[in-house]
Amino acid sequence: MIQTTIHIDGMMCGMCEAHINDAIRKAFSVKKVSASHGKGTAVVLSEEPLDESQLKHIIDETGYTFVSAQVGEPRKRFLGLF
């Protein structure tokens, strides 16, 4: 599983988060996506790496600004409980 953290400028509320989540789900095959306007990020879990140029295009197309993306592995949960 690959975790991509996308830094996004311009999200102000829960509806902004929903727009980002929907746009990413429509453009990519992902397991989970969760945007946070407070943190200015969207965290995406996927089986395959996301194409950063396509990701930038999708985010910018929604009216928000793609700042950067960081790719890594998700943190392991203690005994799968947390």
Side-chain angles (χ1 to χ4, degrees):
M1 195 69 63
I2 297 169
Q3 177 175 301
T4 305
T5 302
I6 309 157
H7 298 274
I8 303 166
D9 193 28
M11 290 190 295
M12 303 302 273
C13 64
M15 285 305 296
C16 298
E17 296 170 356
H19 290 146
I20 293 293
N21 291 342
D22 290 344
I24 292 171
R25 283 189 191 106
K26 287 179 185 176
F28 299 99
S29 175
V30 299
K31 295 289 183 184
K32 183 178 179 181
V33 58
S34 178
S36 168
H37 72 279
K39 295 179 183 177
T41 62
V43 178
V44 182
L45 294 178
S46 60
E47 293 290 336
E48 300 293 325
L50 304 179
D51 179 278
E52 190 169 328
S53 63
Q54 184 181 4
L55 191 56
K56 180 184 181 334
H57 175 74
I58 295 300
I59 299 299
D60 290 346
E61 196 173 75
T62 61
Y64 306 99
T65 304
F66 174 92
V67 176
S68 66
Q70 296 173 315
V71 178
E73 291 192 21
R75 290 188 280 168
K76 303 291 183 199
R77 297 180 178 175
F78 180 70
L79 300 177
L81 299 175
F82 303 100

